Amino acid sequence: MIQATINRKPVTVPEGTTILEAARQVQVKIPTLCYHPDLPPTASCGICIVRLEGTKRMLRACCTPIEEGMKIITHDPEIVEVRRTVLELILSNHPNDCLKCGRNQSCELQNLAADFGIREELFTKFIGGNPKDDSTNAFVIEPDKCIHCGRCIEICQEIQGVWALSFLGRGFNSRFAPAAGQKLVDSPCVLCGQCASHCPTGAIFEKDDTLQVWQELQNPDTFCVVQIAPVVRVAIGEAFGMSAGTNVTGKLYTVLRRLGFNAVFDTSFAADVTIMEEASEFVERFVHKKGPLPLITSCCPSWVIYLEKQVPDMVEYFSSCKSPQQISGLLTKTYYAEKMNVDPSKIVVVSIMPCTSKKAELTRTEEMFASGYQDVDYSLTTRELARMIKQTGKDFANLPDSEPDHLLGDYTGAGVIFGTTGGVMEAALRSAYSFITKEKLGELEFEDIRGLDGVKELSIDVAGSKVNVAVAHGLGNVMSVMNRVREARDKGEPSPYDFIEVMACPGGCAGGGGQPYGVTDEIRAARAQGLYQDDREHEFRLSHENPCVQQLYKDFLGEPLSHKAHELLHTHYVKRTTG
Amino acid sequence: MATMTAQDFDAIKESVQAGNKNWIKVGMSTCGIAAGASNTYRALEDELTNQGQTTVSLRTCGCLGMCHAEPLVEVCIEGLPRVVYCNVTEDCAREIVRGHVMGRKLLQDHILAMHYEEAFS
Amino acid sequence: MSEKTVLLQDTTAGSTTGTHDFFGIFKAALRESNLADTVRLVRVADMGIYNQGVVMTILPEDITYANVEPNDIKRIIGVTLKHGNPVKDLLYQPKFRQMRLVLKNCGRLDPSSIDEYIAADGYRALLKVVEQQTPEQVIADLTASGLRGRGGGGYSTGLKWKFTREAAGDEKYMICNADEGDPGAYMDRSVLEGNPHSVIEGMLLAGYAIGATQGFFYIRAEYPLAIERVQKAIDQARERGLLGSNVLGSDFSMEIEIRLGAGAFVCGEETALIASIEGKRGTPVPRPPYPSVKGLWGMPTCINNVETLANVAPIILHGAEWFSGIGTKTSKGTKVFAVTGKVRNSGLVEVPMGTTLRDIVFEIGGGIASGKAFKAVQTGGPSGGVIPEKYLDTPVDYDNLQKLGSIMGSGGMIVMDEDDCMVDIAKFYITFCVEESCGKCAPCRIGGYQIMHILNGITEGRGTLEDLDRLILISRAMKMGSLCGLGQTAANPIISTLTYFEDEYREHIVNHRCPAGKCKALLKFSIIRHLCKRCGLCERACPEKAISGDREHGYSIDADKCTHCGVCFDVCKFSAVERV
């Protein structure tokens, strides 16, 4: 343990603790700007400087480990003046667009400016005049709002390993931009949105589709339907002061109806359908040798983009099954429309996703129009829905619970755990086991593939055969798994894995790019716990036991992997350089 | 090759010192070259050939530190004091060969006679 | 009687006729004494001695006299020329002299000859160390010598080696920082071009001490001659078994290779340099951890400046005590300065630490070339400050210069006279830092730009007194908030010039006048009627057609059209254009 003093008060902390963390012991939250608890510090803004007592030497609290005997002063008049000057310098290079900016009220720079009582523009304003980039369907990049914190680049390069973003140029002219100054859509970007969810300002912001959704809701001719992704229910509460992981499913159903949606569905139902198809796919390959192993999940659209851009040689392993979002929309405009006698041309499907690349998935290929119409019309992020709710003034926290429309709304525990890393695999194994052995698994929870380790492995016995699975989350962790598969393939050896789940975002959808700001591993874990709890509280915990799913196949699809199922619920993949 | 020993070092030192009788060194670091030392070198080379001088070795060296006075040429002819000439243009270079080397007369108004303390010998 | 040579110069400022006159008198005296054939009398261009009247050096005895009068000649002939003895009361008593330690063999040996380096006792330190000393002993020697980093940091070299040696790591690296980015500094370039083996030997000794197996020269790409010569020297050393596996037959192996810079001043900073070698953007990272613990590729790395390394072999050979006997209490050894600017003798100067600035500028530098008044000397490059006349007697060392608001830096020393504008100087340096800033941290990236903007305004007549407050505010933020040394010290020239020359700033702001006559936008040109010969040359030369008039009425300048280019001032043959 290290003994030191901060503001002349003693602190005792384990070795390696930064000054920033140690200061919490004496109830000081040193102001920071570029620092994000989810990332290693970039140490660029200079706001968190503290003084070595009695000297002129300044240290950055966010990255400097506290040493034995160190005497730190966190604020004195000179330090406060310097922090304010640094802030004023940053503001002199930032547009005054708060009232028109998507981060109004949630911007970290704005918060600091308010805290420091900025009242005048002390320095000449210099705005870069760099053009906006809205070349993708998911984001808008406004480089002039960038404060060079480096978080997006750190996460895109080091953690996701995608390298779509970088700093270009030098000094005052340095700017953050897609690699080589391309448009974002032409870069390696997979639209995972980790950059946007970590950005302190409005420099990278999701394309806001709420205005169009309001218009659809107000249009008397449309029949608006909404589907909610699994993890939204344990995260959206954070925007209303609740702790991460609080399950607000019932309130969500209520508020969506009160917003004007004619039907409220749950994507977790479609997740169950996905499992029907995918577990069957697995059985086809594993038992009947009708396709190569490993089977790799494909419900994460950023993972699909990554596959198509970076590892197209692995396409043959991909499950052809569409994602739950697309399946839900497709079933709405066919099965539901038929059953409930609604004109599918009037149906508008809106999905609420923790994800930004779902916006691009809507028009990925012509198969996304398999219903004869665009299967899903809009995809909103958790953040966008939170804003819509706030715009209506509804007191979300105090809303009563209600139920979804059961036809496409009832789900099992297996469906809802899709929202966290390892969840898809667990759900698939639960059903695949039953499909193969005709028995039910004794233990439904697989600890080995839960949690936040980058790559998790598991081996289970299924009717005397070993099924080896791997779960990877965070794209930076994926390549090592892919390379092991490639190596075995090139040597002609059996694959080390039979089934692989990949989620592009660290933590899976729980840490999705569209989720509320300020994610940390703690928060990812709390959201995951919320989902596991929901699973435990469900009567049905295996996808194929869902009565509504059984009815769907009986009345409409026939069997998993039937001709109709293939036509409507499956897709294909191509090598891409852009998009 | 065989590992070098102290004796090898001594032998090299002796051989180098033994060879050091008559020479001209031209400062050819960036400062010298920028001031025209390449031309100076060529002029010296050319004039030495013209004069049929074969016992004086023409060499290059680094920067003596008096960069304002480049090109610098140091001349050592047996029996004459060793001197450094400054601002040695091509004409001056030829004069050095003719006057100092052949005529054994030091050039007027061109010598730099700085004194230094050597930190170690 | 053996031949003697008398080298002669009248060192009174601005006197060349003096040398010729004395030459004549002396020649006549020699003829009278029948010494004309045995005494060579030579006028020299420069004795390196100034304002000491007639100075002469008699060879081969190397006796130097100063302030020689014509009636001293008789004694000189009788005592020295005839008998080789000194005339004691005429002896030149130098206050001090340049001391050649780092530059000892520069300009003496051929940089492309490893044999000449060995003949000058090169690689003997390496031999001594691999045969007789442990790495710990080498480190102890270096620490006892008091050698401090010559790149500007001034950190104890021995301590840095010690920490690197003690740090845990599978591999250790030695880097020679030859990025030398300060404008006006070229000491490292000269050492690399003039005596590359001395630095290689220093690297090998350092590698032995810290336990490195790989060394890198990080040489800025703008030094092609240095790169060429260092590479050749590396190849030669490898050929002779002085580098590579089993150096001189011992267990010590070390490879050395060159890595090139790519035009970034910031890559002279240790962590940015490391990033550059790793192939990343050359931006610094916070320290701790220091490179000696976690540096290149995460391994313990020691980075030393070229000049620092060139000191190592002499210290090993001649001892720590010898080295620490040179210099001051806290700054041992010598320092090479690149003295440039308005000084008469620009070039490289090596002096023991503790030599005064006055001695360097006037005694060695020869004073102001134009004969104008000395104004200030700028040390330490863009991280340093200006030192005005009243502090010229300060002995140069790390601590003294820091107390004056400047730094030693890598050794750049730029001499300024009354024609240099201090605001313009500050503007020059901050513009340099703005161009070279990597852009990672806000205080440097934006602060530097704002300072540059303000100084541009002041030099163009748009400054306000509030600007002075803003300059102080931003300077403090840069000093305390920047991530690396570039940003932390970029405001030093501003603070320094404001401290010593605030009235010059005020003159620009309040009276729209540049006292040095440098800031073009503030210059006012007018025609002096009684000197004007009405030739019309200025009218024809003016690119803005701002001058009008004729032979009858004379000429005048329209101040509204004048862009202060100064062409009229330059072309007037009668000095009839006034510039204020």
Side-chain angles (χ1 to χ4, degrees), chain C residues 299-485:
Chain C
M299 295 293 148
T301 306
C302 178
I303 304 180
N304 282 134
N305 170 266
V306 169
E307 194 182 332
T308 312
L309 289 175
N311 273 294
V312 173
I315 289 174
I316 298 294
L317 270 187
H318 303 285
E321 214 179 294
W322 155 80
F323 189 80
S324 61
I326 306 167
T328 70
K329 195 150 152 245
T330 56
S331 308
K332 303 292 182 192
T334 60
K335 179 80 190 80
V336 180
F337 292 100
V339 182
T340 56
K342 300 294 178 72
V343 73
R344 193 185 298 155
N345 301 336
S346 56
L348 295 184
V349 159
E350 187 176 3
V351 290
M353 296 277 199
T355 309
T356 67
L357 287 162
R358 191 184 298 280
D359 284 339
I360 296 174
V361 174
F362 289 95
E363 293 304 312
I364 303 179
I368 305 291
S370 57
K372 295 203 174 181
F374 172 89
K375 192 161 183 181
V377 60
Q378 204 276 347
T379 67
S383 307
V386 296
I387 297 168
E389 210 268 326
K390 62 180 170 182
Y391 296 114
L392 273 183
D393 292 304
T394 308
V396 168
D397 76 2
Y398 291 102
D399 308 299
N400 284 345
L401 288 179
Q402 218 166 10
K403 288 196 202 114
L404 291 174
S406 183
I407 60 170
M408 175 97 70
S410 58
M413 209 180 257
I414 305 187
V415 178
M416 298 167 186
D417 67 13
E418 58 188 86
D419 286 344
D420 288 301
C421 170
M422 291 294 118
V423 186
D424 183 67
I425 294 292
K427 186 174 87 166
F428 166 78
Y429 279 118
I430 198 71
T431 307
F432 177 80
C433 285
V434 167
E435 279 166 8
E436 295 295 332
S437 166
C438 74
K440 181 169 176 179
C441 76
C444 172
R445 178 181 79 246
I446 310 176
Y449 193 84
Q450 291 284 5
I451 289 182
M452 184 177 78
H453 174 72
I454 292 172
L455 289 176
N456 275 330
I458 294 176
T459 56
E460 287 168 14
R462 291 178 278 112
T464 65
L465 286 173
E466 286 77 36
D467 283 336
L468 295 181
D469 297 324
R470 286 191 194 100
L471 285 177
I472 306 271
L473 215 59
I474 302 175
S475 298
R476 197 173 306 146
M478 286 180 77
K479 194 181 181 82
M480 290 168 65
S482 297
L483 182 57
C484 83

Side-chain angles (χ1 to χ4, degrees), chain A residues 42-46 49 57-58 60 63 78 81-82 85-86 89-90 92-93 122-124 126 147-148 167 169-172 174, chain C residues 263-264 281 286 288 290 434-443 445-447 449-450 453 470 473-474 476-477 480-483:
Chain A
T42 55
S44 49
C45 69
I49 47 164
R57 188 148 162 245
M58 309 306 292
R60 275 165 156 70
C63 60
E78 195 182 27
E81 181 210 86
V82 167
T85 308
V86 172
L89 286 171
I90 296 174
S92 76
N93 192 220
L122 201 55
F123 306 118
T124 311
F126 292 103
I147 59 166
H148 290 74
F167 276 120
R170 176 165 101 180
F172 194 71
S174 65
Chain C
R281 262 173 82 83
Y290 286 91
V434 167
E435 279 166 8
E436 295 295 332
S437 166
C438 74
K440 181 169 176 179
C441 76
R445 178 181 79 246
I446 310 176
Y449 193 84
Q450 291 284 5
H453 174 72
R470 286 191 194 100
L473 215 59
I474 302 175
R476 197 173 306 146
M480 290 168 65
S482 297
L483 182 57

Side-chain angles (χ1 to χ4, degrees), chain A residues 437-456:
Chain A
T437 64
K438 311 293 181 226
E439 282 166 20
K440 190 165 151 166
L441 269 170
E443 182 49 64
L444 290 178
E445 296 185 9
F446 296 97
E447 268 309 314
D448 283 354
I449 51 175
R450 294 187 172 191
L452 294 174
D453 282 346
V455 177
K456 298 165 279 186

